[in-house]
Amino acid sequence: MELSSAADGRKVALLTLGCARNEVDSEELAARLHADGWQVTTDGEGADVVLVNTCGFVEKAKQDSIQTLLAAADTGAKVVAAGCMAERYGRELADSLPEAQAVLGFDDYPDISSRLGAVLAGEQIDAHTPRDRRELLPLTPVSRRGSTVVVPGHGGGAAPTRDGVVTDEHTPAHLRPVLRRRLDSGPVASLKLASGCDRRCAFCAIPAFRGAFVSRTPDELLAEAEWLAKTGVRELVLVSENSTSYGKDLGDPRLLEKLLPQLAAVPGIVRVRASYLQPAETRPGLVEAIATTPGVAPYFDLSFQHSAESVLRRMRRFGSTARFLELLESARALAPDAGARSNFIVGFPGETRADVEELVRFLSAARLDAIGVFDYSDEDGTEAATLSGKVSAATVKRRYDRLSALADELCSQRAEERLGSTVEVLVDSIEGGVVEGRAAHQAPEVDGSTTLVAPAVGGVDLAVLRPGDLVRATVTGTEGVDLIAVPDEMISAATSPDGAR
């Protein structure tokens, strides 16, 4: 995808791996590069530089990042690694991957154009020595405001200009340019609430290389939401490492509850979806806001990870089967058709057969719409890697296979429960006459989709539908977690940025 039409100049291909947070970071990098005259694409063909925004979360993600970097090197372009894996390993990655001309850390992001320019000029850029980025910010969350530490996706660094006028952090957010350039034109976009995490989950290395928790201010988020809406975005997906912590460093831990209706009221936005909720911090007021606010999807992306208390304690997390079921019931009491999803780790050190059976009991009762199952593996620098009671690889695989099969079965059953129900579907794409969208309980890419089919009589003609349309539909069939539905009526028709249909 070509994002700049400059006839001459340097061309960079930006390839993004990993999560939605990484995608937002890439769009910040794209904005910085475009502002400095680079042609920015998402296609490596003919690029002078291929910038790979890597993922460093788990072993498979790291291997995918390595393979992408190696494939980029085969194109003949200069190859640069950025993102989480590059930040996490720095010099070690540079030494082990000579195919990459540079390995850049987060501190390089404000000067990304000059860094890539140096690579093109054949200059050597020394990779950084990784450090625990949590140590760069004050321990007390409310003391972190005004820090000069680089936080990807927060638009820090050199002062941008708007209409030729230099702006800074003291300029009201609605008067500052949005430091973001979209890398696709779809009707859905992620909006980063915050970066980093203050929790100390034993299995997770993310806080060490992403840093301590830092919220973006509501005025900045609202300004970016308005900008996204003007580019054709209809659904905002709120992302962070831990969305339930939003606002604690701004002095108001209930700030997300207040922000949700404001985002839903942005002209052009028809759906706001919160994600990455920590069960231990999901307060009743937040449950109510998500379940009952018009324009907010009644959708609960809850990071349970397990349900056996003994395993959760070793993970340095809180909860139990009973508490998690109560949380889900409180949401469904307010919104009976609310969607819910979660991820789970099997084979964590010390996990017993009884713990697995407790997890099976929870999953069987939870009626989750989507379930992600991960097999435990040691991660560098995590507490879990040092724990005793390691589960054998063969046992981990056996438990993973069992829980994965159960998850597929349970999610298919949950989809079948929606037969005959009415859902609101946002149209994502139309290809070859096939209209694909998502109901409120289906987040992009991870929770399945809804295929709209022509009604026998009446209803909405598929031929008039466009990406971004929001329709009310009746579920008539299922395929695993995916739904098949007939559109009954148009709720909100999408328009192009110039107002045309």
Side-chain angles (χ1 to χ4, degrees):
M1 176 180 176
E2 186 79 21
L3 300 172
S4 175
S5 58
D8 300 312
R10 304 163 295 180
K11 185 175 183 180
V12 55
L14 225 171
L15 309 183
T16 306
L17 301 173
C19 63
R21 293 160 337 244
N22 243 19
E23 294 171 2
V24 176
D25 295 351
S26 286
E27 294 191 343
E28 178 190 303
L29 293 172
R32 292 185 185 279
L33 290 163
H34 176 75
D36 205 34
W38 289 79
Q39 297 180 52
V40 183
T41 80
T42 56
D43 183 355
E45 184 176 352
D48 300 302
V49 181
V50 176
L51 177 61
V52 181
N53 189 353
T54 60
C55 179
F57 181 38
V58 294
E59 188 59 34
K60 184 180 184 303
K62 288 183 278 189
Q63 290 301 319
D64 288 345
S65 295
I66 293 294
Q67 292 302 318
T68 301
L69 288 162
L70 292 174
D74 290 340
T75 67
K78 303 284 188 181
V79 177
V80 175
C84 290
M85 186 178 181
E87 174 63 40
R88 184 177 181 184
Y89 293 103
R91 189 179 304 278
E92 179 184 347
L93 178 61
D95 291 343
S96 63
L97 193 71
E99 291 84 357
Q101 277 67 48
V103 172
L104 303 180
F106 295 150
D107 291 336
D108 292 303
Y109 282 23
D111 301 311
I112 189 67
S113 179
S114 63
R115 297 292 188 273
L116 297 193
V119 168
L120 271 185
E123 298 176 22
Q124 180 72 31
I125 298 178
D126 291 333
H128 65 285
T129 299
R131 53 185 172 172
D132 190 333
R133 294 189 71 86
R134 291 172 293 191
E135 299 174 356
L136 301 180
L137 289 164
L139 184 63
T140 305
V142 294
S143 301
R144 295 170 188 164
R145 306 311 307 169
S147 170
T148 58
V149 174
V150 174
V151 182
H154 288 228
T161 62
R162 176 167 175 163
D163 299 328
V165 178
V166 176
T167 64
D168 60 22
E169 70 276 9
H170 302 297
T171 307
H174 69 282
L175 297 178
R176 298 197 301 264
V178 173
L179 191 58
R180 182 169 179 178
R181 184 169 178 80
R182 296 196 67 198
L183 293 173
D184 67 55
S185 57
V188 184
S190 296
L191 181 64
K192 181 179 278 192
L193 290 174
S195 289
C197 186
D198 288 340
R199 303 192 72 86
R200 295 294 185 269
C201 300
F203 54 82
C204 185
I206 289 176
F209 57 84
R210 274 290 185 178
F213 186 88
V214 179
S215 299
R216 300 175 68 196
T217 59
D219 62 336
E220 181 182 351
L221 291 168
L222 288 166
E224 186 167 321
E226 292 172 1
W227 177 84
L228 287 167
K230 290 175 182 177
T231 71
V233 169
R234 302 276 278 164
E235 177 176 329
L236 298 172
V237 181
L238 310 184
V239 301
S240 70
E241 274 75 28
N242 178 9
S243 297
T244 41
S245 282
Y246 178 69
K248 71 175 186 178
D249 52 328
L250 301 176
D252 186 355
R254 296 172 61 90
L255 202 53
L256 182 55
E257 300 164 33
K258 301 172 184 177
L259 179 65
L260 285 170
Q262 293 177 284
L263 290 171
V266 171
I269 298 300
V270 296
R271 180 185 288 165
V272 177
R273 183 185 303 277
S275 62
Y276 302 102
L277 306 177
Q278 167 61 241
E281 297 178 23
T282 304
R283 302 167 299 279
L286 180 58
V287 172
E288 182 177 359
I290 293 174
T292 65
T293 302
V296 174
Y299 171 83
F300 293 85
D301 175 16
L302 294 157
S303 177
F304 290 131
Q305 302 301 344
H306 213 284
S307 72
E309 286 190 79
S310 60
V311 176
L312 288 167
R313 297 304 176 270
R314 288 173 69 84
M315 289 179 169
R316 296 199 178 277
R317 296 175 67 85
F318 302 94
S320 65
T321 293
R323 290 183 181 180
F324 291 163
L325 289 176
E326 287 173 3
L327 176 56
L328 290 168
E329 180 57 33
S330 70
R332 289 168 177 151
L334 295 168
D337 292 328
R341 79 167 327 273
S342 192
N343 294 324
F344 299 88
I345 298 172
V346 294
F348 190 80
E351 183 188 63
T352 65
R353 292 179 182 175
D355 295 329
V356 175
E357 294 309 316
E358 182 68 0
L359 179 54
V360 168
R361 184 172 80 87
F362 170 71
L363 292 176
S364 299
R367 296 170 59 231
L368 298 174
D369 293 277
I371 299 170
V373 180
F374 295 85
D375 49 340
Y376 172 81
S377 62
D378 288 338
E379 279 295 313
D380 299 335
T382 63
E383 180 185 358
T386 69
L387 293 178
S388 59
K390 291 291 195 297
V391 181
S392 72
T395 300
V396 172
K397 184 180 186 307
R398 185 167 62 251
R399 292 176 181 176
Y400 170 81
D401 290 343
R402 177 190 176 193
L403 269 294
S404 295
L406 176 64
D408 289 344
E409 178 184 352
L410 292 173
C411 291
S412 295
Q413 291 175 5
R414 176 62 177 146
E416 290 172 359
E417 291 179 17
R418 296 187 182 275
L419 282 169
S421 68
T422 299
V423 293
E424 294 185 358
V425 178
L426 182 80
V427 177
D428 279 333
S429 65
I430 303 174
E431 297 181 8
V434 177
V435 182
E436 288 286 336
R438 289 170 299 99
H441 69 279
Q442 297 171 319
E445 299 182 6
V446 294
D447 292 343
S449 63
T450 298
T451 301
L452 296 177
V453 296
V457 292
V460 179
D461 183 358
L462 296 185
V464 307
L465 293 177
R466 300 289 183 271
D469 287 343
L470 184 68
V471 300
R472 186 169 289 110
T474 299
V475 180
T476 58
T478 67
E479 294 181 357
V481 298
D482 298 328
L483 304 182
I484 300 169
V486 173
D488 300 317
E489 63 176 314
M490 181 78 74
I491 299 174
S492 176
T495 59
S496 63
D498 62 4
R501 170 61 176 156

Coordinates of all heavy atoms in Angstrom, one line a residue, residues 328-398:
L328 N -18.3 -12.2 35.3 CA -19.0 -12.4 34.1 C -20.5 -12.3 34.3 O -21.2 -11.7 33.4 CB -18.7 -13.8 33.5 CG -17.2 -14.0 32.9 CD1 -17.0 -15.4 32.6 CD2 -17.0 -13.1 31.7
E329 N -21.0 -12.8 35.4 CA -22.4 -12.7 35.6 C -22.9 -11.3 35.9 O -23.9 -10.9 35.4 CB -22.8 -13.6 36.9 CG -24.3 -13.5 37.3 CD -25.2 -14.0 36.1 OE1 -24.7 -14.9 35.3 OE2 -26.3 -13.5 36.0
S330 N -22.0 -10.5 36.5 CA -22.3 -9.1 36.7 C -22.5 -8.3 35.4 O -23.3 -7.4 35.3 CB -21.3 -8.4 37.6 OG -20.0 -8.2 37.0
A331 N -21.6 -8.7 34.4 CA -21.7 -8.0 33.1 C -23.0 -8.5 32.4 O -23.7 -7.7 31.8 CB -20.5 -8.4 32.3
R332 N -23.3 -9.8 32.5 CA -24.5 -10.3 31.7 C -25.8 -9.9 32.4 O -26.8 -9.9 31.7 CB -24.3 -11.8 31.6 CG -23.2 -12.2 30.6 CD -22.9 -13.6 30.7 NE -21.9 -14.0 29.7 CZ -21.0 -14.9 29.8 NH1 -20.9 -15.7 30.9 NH2 -20.1 -15.2 28.8
A333 N -25.7 -9.6 33.7 CA -26.9 -9.1 34.3 C -27.4 -7.7 33.8 O -28.5 -7.4 33.7 CB -26.7 -8.9 35.8
L334 N -26.4 -7.0 33.3 CA -26.6 -5.6 32.7 C -26.8 -5.7 31.2 O -27.6 -5.0 30.6 CB -25.5 -4.7 33.0 CG -25.3 -4.3 34.5 CD1 -23.9 -3.7 34.7 CD2 -26.4 -3.5 35.0
A335 N -26.1 -6.7 30.5 CA -26.2 -6.9 29.1 C -26.2 -8.4 28.8 O -25.1 -8.9 28.7 CB -25.1 -6.2 28.4
P336 N -27.4 -9.0 28.7 CA -27.4 -10.5 28.6 C -26.6 -11.0 27.4 O -26.2 -12.2 27.5 CB -28.9 -10.7 28.5 CG -29.6 -9.6 29.2 CD -28.7 -8.4 28.9
D337 N -26.5 -10.3 26.3 CA -25.8 -10.8 25.2 C -24.4 -10.3 25.1 O -23.8 -10.4 24.0 CB -26.6 -10.3 23.9 CG -27.9 -11.0 23.8 OD1 -28.1 -12.1 24.2 OD2 -28.9 -10.3 23.2
A338 N -23.9 -9.8 26.2 CA -22.5 -9.2 26.2 C -21.5 -10.3 25.7 O -21.6 -11.5 26.0 CB -22.1 -8.8 27.6
G339 N -20.5 -9.9 25.0 CA -19.4 -10.7 24.6 C -18.3 -10.8 25.6 O -18.1 -9.9 26.4
A340 N -17.7 -11.9 25.7 CA -16.5 -12.1 26.6 C -15.5 -13.0 26.0 O -15.8 -14.0 25.4 CB -17.0 -12.6 27.9
R341 N -14.2 -12.6 26.2 CA -13.1 -13.5 25.7 C -12.0 -13.4 26.7 O -11.9 -12.5 27.5 CB -12.6 -13.0 24.3 CG -11.7 -11.8 24.4 CD -10.9 -11.4 23.2 NE -10.5 -12.5 22.3 CZ -9.4 -13.2 22.5 NH1 -8.6 -13.0 23.5 NH2 -9.1 -14.2 21.7
S342 N -11.1 -14.4 26.6 CA -9.9 -14.4 27.5 C -8.9 -15.3 26.9 O -9.1 -16.1 26.0 CB -10.3 -14.8 28.9 OG -9.2 -14.5 29.8
N343 N -7.7 -15.2 27.5 CA -6.5 -16.0 27.1 C -6.1 -16.8 28.4 O -6.3 -16.3 29.5 CB -5.3 -15.2 26.7 CG -5.6 -14.5 25.3 OD1 -6.3 -15.1 24.5 ND2 -5.0 -13.4 25.2
F344 N -5.6 -18.0 28.2 CA -5.2 -18.9 29.3 C -3.8 -19.5 29.0 O -3.5 -19.9 27.8 CB -6.3 -20.0 29.5 CG -7.6 -19.4 29.8 CD1 -8.5 -19.0 28.8 CD2 -8.0 -19.2 31.1 CE1 -9.7 -18.5 29.1 CE2 -9.2 -18.6 31.5 CZ -10.1 -18.3 30.5
I345 N -3.1 -19.7 30.0 CA -1.8 -20.4 29.9 C -1.9 -21.8 30.6 O -2.3 -21.9 31.7 CB -0.7 -19.6 30.6 CG1 -0.5 -18.2 30.0 CG2 0.7 -20.3 30.6 CD1 0.4 -17.3 30.7
V346 N -1.5 -22.8 29.9 CA -1.4 -24.1 30.5 C 0.0 -24.6 30.6 O 0.9 -24.2 29.8 CB -2.2 -25.2 29.6 CG1 -3.7 -24.8 29.6 CG2 -1.7 -25.2 28.2
G347 N 0.3 -25.4 31.6 CA 1.6 -25.9 31.9 C 2.5 -24.9 32.7 O 3.7 -25.1 32.7
F348 N 1.9 -24.0 33.4 CA 2.7 -23.0 34.2 C 3.4 -23.9 35.3 O 2.8 -24.8 35.8 CB 1.8 -22.0 34.8 CG 2.5 -20.9 35.4 CD1 3.1 -19.8 34.7 CD2 2.7 -20.8 36.8 CE1 3.8 -18.8 35.3 CE2 3.4 -19.8 37.4 CZ 3.9 -18.8 36.7
P349 N 4.6 -23.5 35.7 CA 5.3 -24.2 36.7 C 4.4 -24.5 38.0 O 3.8 -23.5 38.5 CB 6.5 -23.3 37.1 CG 6.8 -22.6 35.8 CD 5.4 -22.4 35.2
G350 N 4.3 -25.7 38.4 CA 3.6 -26.0 39.6 C 2.1 -26.4 39.3 O 1.4 -26.9 40.1
E351 N 1.7 -26.3 38.0 CA 0.3 -26.7 37.6 C 0.1 -28.2 37.8 O 0.9 -29.0 37.3 CB 0.0 -26.2 36.2 CG -1.4 -26.5 35.8 CD -1.6 -26.3 34.3 OE1 -1.0 -27.0 33.5 OE2 -2.4 -25.4 33.9
T352 N -0.9 -28.5 38.5 CA -1.2 -30.0 38.7 C -2.4 -30.4 37.9 O -3.1 -29.6 37.3 CB -1.6 -30.2 40.2 OG1 -2.8 -29.5 40.5 CG2 -0.5 -29.7 41.1
R353 N -2.7 -31.7 37.9 CA -3.9 -32.2 37.2 C -5.2 -31.6 37.8 O -6.1 -31.3 37.0 CB -4.0 -33.7 37.4 CG -2.8 -34.5 36.7 CD -3.0 -36.0 36.9 NE -1.9 -36.8 36.3 CZ -1.8 -38.1 36.4 NH1 -2.7 -38.8 37.1 NH2 -0.8 -38.7 35.8
A354 N -5.2 -31.4 39.1 CA -6.4 -30.8 39.7 C -6.5 -29.4 39.3 O -7.7 -28.9 39.1 CB -6.2 -30.8 41.3
D355 N -5.4 -28.6 39.1 CA -5.5 -27.3 38.5 C -6.1 -27.2 37.1 O -6.9 -26.4 36.8 CB -4.1 -26.6 38.5 CG -3.5 -26.4 39.9 OD1 -4.3 -26.2 40.9 OD2 -2.3 -26.5 40.0
V356 N -5.7 -28.2 36.3 CA -6.2 -28.3 35.0 C -7.7 -28.6 35.0 O -8.5 -28.0 34.2 CB -5.5 -29.4 34.2 CG1 -6.1 -29.5 32.8 CG2 -4.0 -29.0 34.0
E357 N -8.1 -29.5 35.9 CA -9.6 -29.8 36.0 C -10.4 -28.6 36.5 O -11.5 -28.3 36.0 CB -9.8 -30.9 36.9 CG -9.2 -32.3 36.4 CD -9.6 -32.6 35.0 OE1 -10.8 -32.4 34.7 OE2 -8.8 -33.0 34.2
E358 N -9.7 -27.7 37.3 CA -10.4 -26.5 37.8 C -10.6 -25.5 36.6 O -11.6 -24.9 36.5 CB -9.6 -25.9 38.9 CG -10.2 -24.6 39.5 CD -11.5 -24.9 40.2 OE1 -12.0 -26.0 40.3 OE2 -12.1 -23.9 40.7
L359 N -9.6 -25.5 35.8 CA -9.7 -24.6 34.6 C -10.7 -25.1 33.6 O -11.5 -24.3 33.0 CB -8.3 -24.5 33.9 CG -8.2 -23.7 32.6 CD1 -8.7 -22.3 32.8 CD2 -6.8 -23.6 32.0
V360 N -10.8 -26.4 33.4 CA -11.8 -27.0 32.6 C -13.2 -26.7 33.2 O -14.1 -26.3 32.4 CB -11.6 -28.5 32.5 CG1 -12.9 -29.2 31.9 CG2 -10.4 -28.9 31.7
R361 N -13.3 -26.7 34.5 CA -14.6 -26.4 35.1 C -15.0 -25.0 34.8 O -16.2 -24.7 34.5 CB -14.5 -26.7 36.6 CG -15.8 -26.5 37.4 CD -15.7 -26.9 38.8 NE -15.1 -25.9 39.7 CZ -15.7 -24.9 40.3 NH1 -17.0 -24.8 40.1 NH2 -15.0 -24.1 41.0
F362 N -14.0 -24.1 34.9 CA -14.3 -22.7 34.7 C -14.7 -22.5 33.2 O -15.8 -21.8 32.9 CB -13.1 -21.8 35.0 CG -13.3 -20.4 34.6 CD1 -14.2 -19.5 35.2 CD2 -12.6 -19.9 33.5 CE1 -14.3 -18.2 34.8 CE2 -12.7 -18.6 33.0 CZ -13.6 -17.7 33.7
L363 N -14.0 -23.0 32.3 CA -14.2 -22.8 30.9 C -15.6 -23.3 30.5 O -16.4 -22.7 29.7 CB -13.2 -23.4 30.0 CG -11.8 -22.8 30.1 CD1 -10.8 -23.6 29.3 CD2 -11.8 -21.3 29.6
S364 N -16.0 -24.4 31.1 CA -17.3 -25.1 30.8 C -18.4 -24.2 31.3 O -19.5 -24.3 30.7 CB -17.3 -26.5 31.4 OG -16.3 -27.3 30.9
A365 N -18.2 -23.4 32.3 CA -19.3 -22.6 32.9 C -19.3 -21.2 32.4 O -20.3 -20.5 32.5 CB -19.2 -22.6 34.4
A366 N -18.2 -20.7 31.9 CA -18.0 -19.3 31.6 C -18.7 -18.8 30.3 O -19.0 -17.6 30.2 CB -16.5 -18.9 31.5
R367 N -19.0 -19.7 29.4 CA -19.7 -19.3 28.1 C -19.0 -18.1 27.4 O -19.5 -17.1 27.1 CB -21.1 -18.9 28.4 CG -22.0 -20.0 29.0 CD -23.3 -19.6 29.4 NE -24.1 -18.9 28.4 CZ -24.7 -17.7 28.5 NH1 -24.5 -17.0 29.7 NH2 -25.4 -17.2 27.6
L368 N -17.7 -18.3 27.2 CA -16.9 -17.3 26.6 C -17.0 -17.4 25.1 O -17.2 -18.5 24.5 CB -15.4 -17.4 26.9 CG -15.0 -17.3 28.4 CD1 -13.6 -17.6 28.7 CD2 -15.3 -15.9 28.9
D369 N -17.0 -16.2 24.4 CA -17.2 -16.2 22.9 C -15.9 -16.6 22.2 O -15.9 -17.1 21.1 CB -17.6 -14.8 22.5 CG -19.0 -14.5 23.0 OD1 -20.0 -15.0 22.3 OD2 -19.2 -13.9 24.0
A370 N -14.8 -16.3 22.8 CA -13.5 -16.6 22.2 C -12.5 -16.9 23.3 O -12.5 -16.3 24.4 CB -13.0 -15.4 21.4
I371 N -11.7 -17.9 23.1 CA -10.7 -18.4 24.1 C -9.4 -18.6 23.4 O -9.3 -19.4 22.4 CB -11.2 -19.8 24.7 CG1 -12.5 -19.6 25.4 CG2 -10.1 -20.3 25.7 CD1 -13.2 -20.9 25.9
G372 N -8.3 -18.0 23.9 CA -7.0 -18.2 23.4 C -6.2 -19.1 24.4 O -6.2 -18.8 25.6
V373 N -5.6 -20.2 23.9 CA -4.9 -21.1 24.8 C -3.4 -21.0 24.4 O -3.1 -21.2 23.2 CB -5.4 -22.5 24.7 CG1 -4.6 -23.4 25.6 CG2 -6.9 -22.6 25.1
F374 N -2.6 -20.8 25.4 CA -1.1 -20.7 25.1 C -0.4 -21.8 26.0 O -0.7 -22.0 27.2 CB -0.6 -19.4 25.5 CG -1.1 -18.3 24.6 CD1 -2.3 -17.6 24.9 CD2 -0.4 -17.9 23.4 CE1 -2.8 -16.7 24.0 CE2 -0.9 -16.9 22.6 CZ -2.1 -16.3 22.9
D375 N 0.6 -22.4 25.4 CA 1.4 -23.4 26.1 C 2.6 -22.6 26.8 O 3.2 -21.8 26.1 CB 1.9 -24.5 25.3 CG 2.5 -24.1 24.0 OD1 2.3 -22.9 23.5 OD2 3.3 -24.8 23.4
Y376 N 2.8 -22.9 28.1 CA 3.8 -22.1 28.8 C 5.2 -22.5 28.3 O 5.5 -23.6 28.0 CB 3.7 -22.4 30.3 CG 4.9 -21.9 31.0 CD1 4.9 -20.5 31.4 CD2 6.0 -22.6 31.3 CE1 6.0 -19.9 32.1 CE2 7.1 -22.0 31.9 CZ 7.1 -20.7 32.3 OH 8.2 -20.1 32.9
S377 N 6.0 -21.4 28.2 CA 7.5 -21.6 27.9 C 8.2 -20.5 28.7 O 7.7 -19.4 28.9 CB 7.8 -21.5 26.5 OG 7.5 -20.2 26.0
D378 N 9.4 -20.8 29.2 CA 10.2 -19.9 29.9 C 10.5 -18.7 29.1 O 10.9 -18.8 27.9 CB 11.5 -20.5 30.4 CG 11.3 -21.5 31.5 OD1 10.2 -21.4 32.2 OD2 12.2 -22.4 31.7
E379 N 10.4 -17.5 29.6 CA 10.7 -16.2 29.0 C 11.9 -15.6 29.7 O 11.9 -15.5 30.9 CB 9.5 -15.3 28.9 CG 8.6 -15.6 27.8 CD 9.1 -15.4 26.4 OE1 9.8 -14.4 26.2 OE2 9.0 -16.3 25.6
D380 N 12.9 -15.1 28.9 CA 14.0 -14.4 29.5 C 13.6 -13.3 30.5 O 12.8 -12.5 30.2 CB 14.9 -13.8 28.4 CG 15.4 -14.8 27.4 OD1 15.5 -16.0 27.8 OD2 15.7 -14.4 26.2
G381 N 14.3 -13.3 31.6 CA 14.1 -12.3 32.6 C 12.8 -12.3 33.4 O 12.5 -11.3 34.1
T382 N 12.0 -13.3 33.3 CA 10.8 -13.4 34.1 C 11.0 -14.3 35.3 O 11.8 -15.1 35.4 CB 9.6 -14.0 33.2 OG1 10.0 -15.4 32.9 CG2 9.4 -13.2 32.0
E383 N 10.2 -14.0 36.3 CA 10.2 -14.8 37.5 C 9.9 -16.2 37.3 O 10.5 -17.1 37.9 CB 9.3 -14.2 38.6 CG 9.3 -14.9 39.9 CD 8.2 -14.4 40.9 OE1 7.6 -13.4 40.5 OE2 8.1 -14.9 42.0
A384 N 8.9 -16.5 36.4 CA 8.5 -17.8 36.2 C 9.6 -18.7 35.7 O 9.6 -19.9 35.9 CB 7.3 -17.8 35.2
A385 N 10.5 -18.1 34.9 CA 11.7 -18.9 34.4 C 12.5 -19.5 35.5 O 13.2 -20.5 35.3 CB 12.5 -18.1 33.5
T386 N 12.4 -18.9 36.7 CA 13.3 -19.4 37.8 C 12.5 -20.3 38.8 O 13.1 -20.8 39.8 CB 13.8 -18.2 38.6 OG1 12.7 -17.5 39.3 CG2 14.5 -17.2 37.7
L387 N 11.2 -20.5 38.5 CA 10.4 -21.2 39.5 C 10.7 -22.7 39.4 O 11.0 -23.2 38.3 CB 8.9 -21.0 39.2 CG 8.4 -19.6 39.5 CD1 6.9 -19.5 39.1 CD2 8.5 -19.2 41.0
S388 N 10.5 -23.4 40.5 CA 10.6 -24.9 40.5 C 9.3 -25.4 40.0 O 8.3 -24.7 39.8 CB 10.9 -25.4 41.9 OG 9.9 -24.9 42.8
G389 N 9.2 -26.8 39.9 CA 8.0 -27.4 39.6 C 7.7 -27.3 38.1 O 6.5 -27.3 37.7
K390 N 8.7 -27.3 37.3 CA 8.4 -27.2 35.8 C 7.7 -28.4 35.3 O 7.9 -29.6 35.7 CB 9.8 -27.1 35.1 CG 10.5 -25.8 35.3 CD 9.8 -24.6 34.6 CE 10.7 -23.4 34.4 NZ 11.1 -22.8 35.7
V391 N 6.7 -28.2 34.5 CA 5.9 -29.2 33.9 C 6.6 -29.7 32.6 O 7.1 -28.9 31.8 CB 4.5 -28.7 33.5 CG1 3.7 -29.8 32.9 CG2 3.8 -28.2 34.8
S392 N 6.7 -31.0 32.4 CA 7.4 -31.6 31.3 C 6.8 -31.1 30.0 O 5.6 -30.8 29.9 CB 7.5 -33.1 31.3 OG 6.2 -33.6 31.0
A393 N 7.7 -31.0 28.9 CA 7.2 -30.6 27.6 C 6.1 -31.4 27.1 O 5.1 -30.9 26.5 CB 8.4 -30.5 26.7
A394 N 6.2 -32.7 27.3 CA 5.2 -33.7 26.8 C 3.8 -33.4 27.5 O 2.8 -33.4 26.9 CB 5.6 -35.1 27.0
T395 N 3.9 -33.2 28.8 CA 2.7 -32.9 29.6 C 2.0 -31.6 29.2 O 0.8 -31.4 29.0 CB 2.9 -32.9 31.1 OG1 3.4 -34.2 31.5 CG2 1.7 -32.6 31.9
V396 N 2.9 -30.6 29.0 CA 2.4 -29.3 28.5 C 1.7 -29.4 27.2 O 0.6 -28.9 27.0 CB 3.5 -28.2 28.4 CG1 3.0 -27.0 27.7 CG2 4.1 -27.9 29.8
K397 N 2.3 -30.1 26.3 CA 1.6 -30.3 25.0 C 0.3 -31.1 25.1 O -0.7 -30.7 24.4 CB 2.6 -31.1 24.0 CG 2.0 -31.2 22.6 CD 2.9 -32.0 21.7 CE 2.4 -32.0 20.2 NZ 1.0 -32.4 20.1
R398 N 0.3 -32.1 25.9 CA -1.0 -32.8 26.1 C -2.1 -31.9 26.7 O -3.2 -32.0 26.2 CB -0.7 -34.0 27.0 CG -1.9 -35.0 27.2 CD -1.5 -36.3 27.8 NE -1.0 -36.1 29.2 CZ 0.3 -36.2 29.5 NH1 1.2 -36.6 28.6 NH2 0.7 -36.1 30.8

